[in-house]
Every structure is written in C-alpha cells, then in structure tokens.
Amino acid sequence: MVISLKTDDFNFKIIHVYAPNSSLEKLAFFDELSQVTNKYTGNDFILLGDMNTVVDNNLDIISGRPHGKTEVDRLNEFVDTLGLCDVWRSFHEGEKEYTWSKQNPFIARRLDYCFVTETLVESCTSCDIISVPFTDHRAVALDISSGSFVRGPGYWHFNNALLQEKTFVEEMNELLDTLVTAKTGDTYISKQWEMAKIKNKRILY
C-alpha cells in the first residue's frame, strides 16, 4: 500500500508492506518491492511494515533460531541500495529488542521496521517500540518534525568554521572513533553512516 502525504511542510510517500514467511517467497518479494520503490527514486519516502526477516541475526533476535543468511543479506542489500536508514536502530544502537513474539517455545524477533530515505533522517526525532493490544506484534512509533522539511536552494555545504571550534572537533573525533571501533555486529557501512549523521545532529543542536 502506498500513501501520498502532502501538506505545507510534508511531501513524501508512505509505503506499507507485509513480507511473506517462506524464504523463497521473501526473496521474490524483495525483488518485486525493489521495482516498486525504484519508481520513487529521488523522492522522500518511508517504508514500513513486517519484513518477516531480521536485519541483524545478532541484535534483532532475542530468542529463536537465526534467519537464513540469504534472506538477511537480501534485505540488507535492498536497504543499502536505496540508501535507507533503519530509524529505530539509529536511535537505539547496540540494543536488543523485539516486535514479534510467540510462546511455547518462546521466540522473539525484531521483524517490524521503519526505513526512511536519507533526506528524511534528520527530521526523525524519535523512534520507539511500544506494546499494543490484541496482536502478537508490537508497534514501531516514529516521530517526525515537520519544521525540518524546509529546504533552501542549492546544495548543503559543510561549515568549515566548525573545525575551529575545539569542543565540536573533540566530540566529532570521539563519535567517529566510537563508530569505527563499535562491535555492534553491524558490518553494513551505510547504517554506520546514518547513525553518525543523527549523532552529529545532536552535537550541533
């Protein structure tokens, strides 16, 4: 399902998906989803829903067997190709949490995601997993600040004057060192970069 949202401050698509359970069907699903999202290349959009696959077997599974490497890699390839950011992970680096669970035996995994395009990353102010009634899933609540959508002409350029600010340089060096040495189990460079941008925003503001 694709929803267009356009106001004075917003202009983007919300793409809601539900991936199948079968490994083979999931691979075909991500291929079809790629064709859909390719239509919106260059535009802002939020991709959300039940992927029925974890992004990281180490961090996104509380209990239960790991997902197959092929389907995990395919999901990550899809996300990286589009330059999408896993917003919850960006705000909760290294944390283990789940959005779906079952009993007997107990299995818990983070299957539900909110991915956003790079241009929307700085507009995301929070992202949390919350409990909701009458379902075996938990909700992913994403907050977006509409004021961040105001754009000026031309391209963004880094303000070199910040390099003369001792505090800024020290905090940025500490941030980059942390990202380089972090043992989060996340080997995908684009995700580390998205985390760095969000944390850089917090340093500036």
Side-chain angles (χ1 to χ4, degrees), residues 54-62 88-89 92-98 108-110 113 183-186 195:
V54 297
V55 169
D56 188 315
N57 272 320
N58 294 320
L59 290 177
D60 297 328
I61 295 182
I62 304 297
W88 185 87
R89 177 59 64 202
H92 303 273
E93 181 182 357
E95 293 184 25
K96 299 191 73 169
E97 190 56 278
Y98 68 92
R109 299 186 174 110
R110 189 168 73 101
Y113 295 86
K183 297 184 181 299
T184 63
D186 184 359
M195 291 179 188

Side-chain angles (χ1 to χ4, degrees), residues 3-204:
I3 300 173
S4 296
L5 181 58
K6 185 175 183 180
T7 68
D8 290 339
D9 296 318
F10 294 91
N11 185 10
F12 60 86
K13 308 287 186 183
I14 298 176
I15 305 172
H16 180 259
V17 301
Y18 179 81
N21 285 301
S22 162
S23 295
L24 289 178
E25 289 179 351
K26 272 188 273 193
L27 296 179
F29 169 81
F30 289 128
D31 288 340
E32 293 179 10
L33 185 58
S34 294
Q35 296 178 16
V36 172
T37 52
N38 283 341
K39 299 177 183 178
Y40 306 112
T41 300
N43 297 300
D44 296 333
F45 67 83
I46 298 173
L47 174 68
L48 52 85
D50 181 355
M51 297 296 171
N52 263 315
T53 305
V54 297
V55 169
D56 188 315
N57 272 320
N58 294 320
L59 290 177
D60 297 328
I61 295 182
I62 304 297
S63 178
R65 292 185 299 177
H67 281 172
K69 184 177 185 301
T70 300
E71 58 195 86
V72 172
D73 286 350
R74 182 65 185 92
L75 173 57
N76 278 281
E77 178 188 4
F78 168 78
V79 171
D80 288 347
T81 298
L82 290 171
L84 299 178
C85 173
D86 177 357
V87 187
W88 185 87
R89 177 59 64 202
S90 295
F91 281 99
H92 303 273
E93 181 182 357
E95 293 184 25
K96 299 191 73 169
E97 190 56 278
Y98 68 92
T99 62
W100 171 84
S101 65
K102 69 179 289 290
Q103 303 294 328
N104 300 320
F106 177 66
I107 299 174
R109 299 186 174 110
R110 189 168 73 101
L111 301 179
D112 303 88
Y113 295 86
C114 281
F115 297 111
V116 303
T117 48
E118 184 176 351
T119 47
L120 291 178
V121 170
E122 292 191 358
S123 299
C124 299
T125 57
S126 69
C127 190
D128 297 290
I129 294 172
I130 60 175
S131 297
V132 291
F134 312 118
T135 176
D136 55 0
H137 284 258
R138 300 166 76 196
V140 183
L142 172 64
D143 287 329
I144 295 180
S145 172
S146 61
S148 301
F149 280 80
V150 179
R151 297 177 182 170
Y155 295 96
W156 176 85
H157 296 282
F158 177 73
N159 181 4
N160 291 330
L162 288 172
L163 297 177
Q164 306 303 316
E165 298 288 339
K166 182 179 179 181
T167 301
F168 175 82
V169 173
E170 289 176 349
E171 292 189 9
M172 281 303 300
N173 283 334
E174 181 179 349
L175 167 61
L176 294 174
D177 287 342
T178 300
L179 288 173
V180 169
T181 59
K183 297 184 181 299
T184 63
D186 184 359
T187 59
Y188 297 93
I189 295 175
S190 66
K191 296 183 183 61
Q192 296 282 20
W193 176 237
E194 296 300 340
M195 291 179 188
K197 286 191 290 186
I198 288 178
K199 291 181 179 179
N200 179 44
K201 176 184 175 184
R202 293 171 187 165
I203 291 174
L204 290 173

